[in-house]
Amino acid sequence: MARITRNVAAMGTLFEMLLLGDDTQHLSDVADAAIEELQRVERLLSRYDVRSEVSRINREAASQSVQVDRELWHLIELGASAWETTGGAFDLTASREVSDELIPNSFAHVHLDEDSRRITFSRPDVKLDLGAIGKGYALDRAKLILVEYGVKQAFLHGGSSSVVAIGGGPQGTGWAIELAVAWQDSPAGLAPLSLRDVSLSCSDSHSSTEAESDIIDPATGKPIADPRACFCTGPSGLECEAFSTAAIVMGRSRAEELLREIAPETLATVGWIDKSTGPASFSWLRGGSTR
Amino acid sequence: MTEAPNSSTASTSQLFSLRSRRRFLGATSSLLAASTLSSLTAAESDEPLKVAVIGTGARGCDLLRSLTTIPSIRVAAVCDDYPPHLARASEYAGPQATTYSDYKKLLDEVKPDAVVIAVPLWAHFQVAHDCVDAGTSVFVEKTMCYDMAEAKKLAALVDEKKCVFQVGLQRRASPIYKQAVAMVQAGLLGEITSIKAQWHRNNNWRRPIPVPKSDPQWAALEERLNWRLFKRRSRGLMAELGSHQLDVANWILGTAPTSVMASGGIDYWQDGREVHDNVFCVYDYIVPRRETAPEGNGATAADGVPLPRLPGNIAGARPLQTYNVRVTYSSICTNAYEGASELVMGTRGTLFLTTTKGLFYREKHPEDPGWLRAGDKENSAILTAGKTLKLSNSPWAHRGEPLEIDLLEADETRDELISFLDHVRRGNPQTICDVHEGLRDTATVLMACQSLESGSPVSFPT
């Protein structure tokens, strides 16, 4: 069996992919095309690139309405919908990376006109940061290319927190993943998961290296206090990433409440970890087979 | 085939159900303040310009996406004869854009005000010619045409019809390149004597084919999707990449080359391709010598700033009105160091240019003050010290750090389209890269292709 790996630095992290198949040349060409697509999405969304569409919006939308292309508009609208559904916990503008001073509930200052696809900010210190869904979306797009070109077995990840599994892995029993959470007392990874034709996203409120969380609670404008992590699987990396990001802001009970409204085919499994679930273990909030 | 950005997985999700959209406060207005170069001015009474995109592969979809961010125009139609590309274009253009696989039918039924053409090189002439003939304004990707006969015919028709026509050499819209040219014209580099340009990448320049090699459709798809690798469809690296940078050289020097020697081969990616995977060219230019910086930008003859001169002819003969410049160009597929870049070398300074960075390095002048400062009285004693004074080892100590051209926040693809559409609206055929610049660029590219084939120097085609 032919095996191709690729990696690229994008969106401030490392993306890696592993493809399996019969034809090395073909796999190689498809992998290159998938890398190009990751880079295309990065050019659209990156807040680090002054020439990206998101940078253009951030520069101009406070002084004039900015017309957006359909792809980016779709992502912003999903962000707006998620903001409403999660009661403000998911907020594309609540990011320390783009604003030093955060206004509570800043997304309320984003105005969208869907007829003309124009976005305006009613305050100059509002900025969009699509980091919360960028990796998931980029991986969804890369997956489309792989599938379109007939790749049956592949594993992709971005920054080790967003994952796409195509096919059932080399042994056919699923691509094996071990989850790890930075602030867990036990250094061991959590129970392994088996992924088959699904996306996975993990969001962790704290990293071991920083005392303070870099995730902001949009309601207060302050970092989240208690460490927690959420992971979920589903067909869309974009939606998994949005949910897991929102869930750790909302906290367990609000996340469970929201889950009751979400169709099961959107999020197949959801797992939750915080200091109360005990070391090296997690709670299934939805789905999940026994370890 | 390729799933749409607004895929069905999103619409079934309750997390992202599209309920209760926030509305833009107040009535929407089509007026956009032209506060920056990146805006199009349009009065409220102006009808949106009707634009069509013909050829929606990778580049075509990039252009299309940019078009959808420009107010006061609407993308009325998209056209491609390869269904997956057309489907992708339809997602970017939206449901109100009609899809076509036959561009002639599009011209006939849609009657667009302007078309943006990004079909493969071999088809540029046919499509562009028919569009100009039909009376639309035309933007066509570089290289303008596959051969000189086509290019000349197209130029003649554009002139006859007074068509608003632009070739997609987007560095003409880049703030970095515009500033670089201004620096050259102001004399900061002295006289330009050489330019070294390259586009080096480390990949096989292939697109994947959606069927396996054993499939009977593979060969046709290979020729369609990898058209850049086939001689009858492509002019290879020179036409796809070199065209941009040789246009920069022509722009900076203000003239076209007189001759070229080129060498290349298929030495690494031997996968059945018919175009070279590495090319090297030496172009000769004869450049008019200027006494002073040109008028314009507020300067007049009275302001005449003398340009620094090349070392003079010691024998005292009459100074020449022109001088020779050589431009070297290379494009390879096996190493990506310094990617796509130009090094503009002048007697007083050097510019290193890419689309994201511009660096100016001053050359050391023999009479640059060292310890003898300007203004010291002629007869004053030169200071000496008992201890040897140390000079820094830094290479910049006597030259100064390079000056970086500020990256103005602009996307040259979007800006070249905005400029084109602005000219269309005003009916002004003097676009930032008109058909004659396109013709000159085409000739510059094709003469190298000819030299690559023949192994001999080739003169600029008449």
Side-chain angles (χ1 to χ4, degrees):
Chain A
M1 193 167 234
R3 183 181 191 273
I4 290 280
T5 61
R6 288 280 186 276
N7 62 75
V8 65
M11 301 184 196
T13 188
L14 185 69
F15 283 77
E16 292 183 295
M17 53 181 74
L18 164 70
L19 284 66
L20 302 175
D22 300 316
D23 181 340
T24 307
Q25 177 67 65
H26 180 68
L27 281 185
S28 177
D29 291 345
V30 177
D32 288 342
I35 294 274
E36 263 185 48
E37 179 69 358
L38 288 176
Q39 292 172 319
R40 185 192 69 80
V41 172
E42 181 187 35
R43 274 197 306 275
L44 196 62
L45 304 185
S46 172
R47 59 182 180 273
Y48 302 111
D49 180 354
V50 296
R51 297 151 86 217
S52 75
E53 281 296 280
V54 167
S55 293
R56 185 171 72 93
I57 293 172
N58 284 344
R59 245 182 348 257
E60 297 178 12
S63 50
Q64 62 190 45
S65 66
V66 176
Q67 186 168 315
V68 176
D69 71 59
R70 291 169 55 85
E71 181 179 17
L72 184 55
W73 185 257
H74 174 69
L75 292 177
I76 295 172
E77 275 204 326
L78 292 183
S81 178
W83 180 74
E84 286 173 18
T85 319
T86 62
F90 182 89
D91 186 334
L92 288 176
T93 60
S95 162
R96 271 273 180 77
E97 304 267 2
V98 292
S99 316
D100 289 322
E101 301 254 336
L102 288 174
I103 329 155
N105 212 27
S106 48
F107 200 85
H109 300 282
V110 174
H111 305 282
L112 304 178
D113 175 8
E114 80 185 62
D115 294 328
S116 61
R117 290 195 320 273
R118 301 231 202 156
I119 180 170
T120 326
F121 299 156
S122 53
R123 274 184 71 135
D125 41 4
V126 169
K127 301 262 186 270
L128 285 179
D129 173 4
L130 268 66
I133 47 176
K135 295 193 300 296
Y137 179 66
L139 288 172
D140 282 344
R141 298 291 306 176
K143 178 180 92 172
L144 285 178
I145 294 197
L146 265 50
V147 168
E148 180 182 342
Y149 286 95
V151 174
K152 301 267 186 304
Q153 297 286 345
F155 183 86
L156 300 78
H157 81 92
S160 78
S161 57
S162 300
V163 168
V164 169
I166 298 175
Q171 274 83 48
T173 49
W175 293 92
I177 307 266
E178 264 198 18
L179 290 174
V181 155
W183 42 265
Q184 269 282 355
D185 296 335
S186 153
L190 299 157
L193 299 178
S194 264
L195 300 184
R196 175 191 300 275
D197 290 318
V198 79
S199 297
L200 163 79
S201 171
C202 308
S203 292
D204 193 344
S205 63
H206 290 71
S207 69
S208 54
T209 51
E210 268 126 50
E212 204 177 59
S213 172
D214 62 341
I215 313 281
I216 304 298
D217 183 347
T220 60
K222 303 261 186 295
I224 295 170
D226 307 315
R228 59 261 211 144
C230 176
F231 68 89
C232 51
T233 63
S236 158
L238 167 61
E239 291 178 347
C240 287
E241 199 170 345
F243 182 83
S244 64
T245 307
I248 59 172
V249 172
M250 291 161 82
R252 180 173 175 156
S253 51
R254 278 175 68 203
E256 284 180 296
E257 209 182 291
L258 175 58
L259 258 185
R260 284 192 270 279
E261 292 177 45
I262 295 178
E265 56 266 18
T266 308
L267 299 170
T269 63
V270 180
W272 180 267
I273 312 151
D274 60 30
K275 292 265 165 146
S276 71
T277 65
S281 70
F282 51 82
S283 310
W284 289 108
L285 301 192
R286 166 178 285 187
S289 46
T290 50
R291 289 180 249 158
Chain B
M1 277 284 180
T2 312
E3 218 181 311
N6 40 342
S7 67
S8 58
T9 48
S11 58
T12 53
S13 156
Q14 256 119 319
L15 182 62
F16 297 127
S17 64
L18 300 176
R19 51 184 188 197
S20 69
R21 296 264 50 77
R22 296 190 71 91
R23 286 279 159 185
F24 189 73
L25 298 172
T28 53
S29 163
S30 62
L31 184 68
L32 198 69
S35 54
T36 66
L37 253 179
S38 64
S39 310
L40 241 188
T41 338
E44 280 200 54
S45 57
D46 280 357
E47 274 292 302
L49 278 181
K50 214 172 12 164
V51 181
V53 181
I54 302 174
T56 58
R59 182 60 179 168
C61 277
D62 275 348
L63 292 165
L64 169 57
R65 197 201 61 74
S66 275
L67 286 171
T68 62
T69 68
I70 300 172
S72 79
I73 65 153
R74 67 181 180 93
V75 176
V78 291
C79 178
D80 198 290
D81 60 1
Y82 182 58
H85 287 177
L86 186 59
R88 185 156 168 251
S90 183
E91 287 306 324
Y92 279 113
Q96 75 288 348
T98 326
T99 53
Y100 288 87
S101 54
D102 176 350
Y103 74 90
K104 293 184 188 178
K105 197 155 166 252
L106 181 160
L107 284 175
D108 210 40
E109 292 178 8
V110 175
K111 299 190 197 342
D113 298 311
V115 295
V116 168
I117 300 171
V119 297
L121 176 64
W122 62 273
H124 279 190
F125 172 71
Q126 190 59 59
V127 179
H129 184 274
D130 290 353
C131 290
V132 173
D133 211 28
T136 67
S137 299
V138 171
F139 175 104
V140 63
E141 266 297 330
K142 40 45 61 179
T143 300
M144 192 169 82
C145 291
Y146 179 85
D147 70 38
M148 280 309 293
E150 290 179 346
K152 288 179 189 173
K153 221 171 141 194
L154 184 59
L157 185 65
V158 165
D159 284 344
E160 183 199 314
K161 294 267 183 172
K162 300 198 198 326
C163 170
V164 176
F165 184 95
Q166 184 170 322
V167 177
L169 291 160
Q170 68 258 35
R171 282 159 182 73
R172 296 270 179 163
S174 158
I176 289 183
Y177 283 87
K178 290 199 290 194
Q179 187 164 338
V181 171
M183 289 166 80
V184 168
Q185 290 182 339
L188 261 70
L189 275 71
E191 290 194 301
I192 308 299
T193 52
S194 186
I195 299 178
K196 168 169 126 43
Q198 65 169 57
W199 199 316
H200 289 190
R201 304 204 282 213
N202 200 338
N203 62 47
N204 62 12
W205 213 29
R206 286 188 151 277
R207 300 216 180 279
I209 310 297
V211 302
K213 255 191 173 144
S214 50
D215 188 302
Q217 286 193 66
W218 187 89
L221 283 170
E222 163 83 342
E223 199 172 320
R224 172 192 277 283
L225 299 177
N226 281 312
W227 61 268
R228 296 184 297 192
L229 307 180
F230 292 91
K231 266 194 184 154
R232 62 189 164 284
R233 302 196 179 254
S234 160
R235 293 291 194 184
L237 295 167
M238 288 308 298
E240 292 312 299
L241 308 178
S243 52
H244 286 290
Q245 299 170 285
L246 292 166
D247 178 60
V248 170
N250 291 349
W251 184 16
I252 285 176
L253 297 173
T255 184
T258 52
S259 70
V260 66
M261 280 190 298
S263 173
I266 304 172
D267 300 311
Y268 189 77
W269 295 111
Q270 289 161 344
D271 55 0
R273 70 184 60 196
E274 299 172 352
V275 302
H276 294 146
D277 63 21
N278 67 104
V279 301
F280 291 79
C281 311
V282 181
Y283 282 90
D284 280 23
Y285 285 72
I286 296 174
V287 176
R289 173 159 277 151
R290 290 199 325 262
E291 282 299 327
T292 59
E295 294 179 19
N297 293 325
T300 63
D303 298 320
V305 175
L307 290 179
R309 301 299 297 274
L310 281 169
N313 183 324
I314 296 166
R318 191 169 44 86
L320 302 168
Q321 297 307 304
T322 62
Y323 66 104
N324 294 342
V325 174
R326 283 180 186 83
V327 171
T328 58
Y329 185 76
S330 59
S331 183
I332 68 177
C333 299
T334 48
N335 173 287
Y337 183 71
E338 274 174 6
S341 56
E342 298 85 28
L343 196 68
V344 182
M345 292 167 270
T347 51
R348 289 307 188 90
T350 312
L351 270 169
F352 176 77
L353 301 171
T354 70
T355 50
T356 54
K357 194 186 267 288
L359 296 172
F360 171 67
Y361 299 85
R362 206 177 141 264
E363 283 286 285
K364 182 167 172 18
H365 190 247
E367 295 194 358
D368 274 348
W371 294 328
L372 299 172
R373 299 209 206 329
D376 282 355
K377 291 197 200 93
E378 262 176 36
N379 295 321
S380 63
I382 294 168
L383 182 71
T384 59
K387 195 122 173 109
T388 307
L389 293 176
K390 281 201 160 111
L391 257 188
S392 158
N393 278 335
S394 160
W396 306 123
H398 57 278
R399 242 202 256 176
E401 295 272 353
L403 170 78
E404 182 154 357
I405 297 178
D406 274 338
L407 171 59
L408 300 183
E409 298 128 344
D411 167 354
E412 62 269 3
T413 293
R414 188 167 181 271
D415 285 344
E416 67 170 345
L417 288 170
I418 286 176
S419 174
F420 168 64
L421 294 163
D422 203 51
H423 283 72
V424 171
R425 195 178 280 289
R426 294 176 206 289
N428 178 356
Q430 285 169 321
T431 54
I432 60 177
C433 188
D434 65 15
V435 74
H436 294 284
E437 292 288 0
L439 178 59
R440 194 166 78 171
D441 180 64
T442 301
T444 307
V445 163
L446 291 179
M447 59 199 277
C449 294
Q450 203 184 323
S451 182
L452 284 166
E453 287 303 302
S454 68
S456 302
V458 170
S459 300
F460 189 81
T462 44

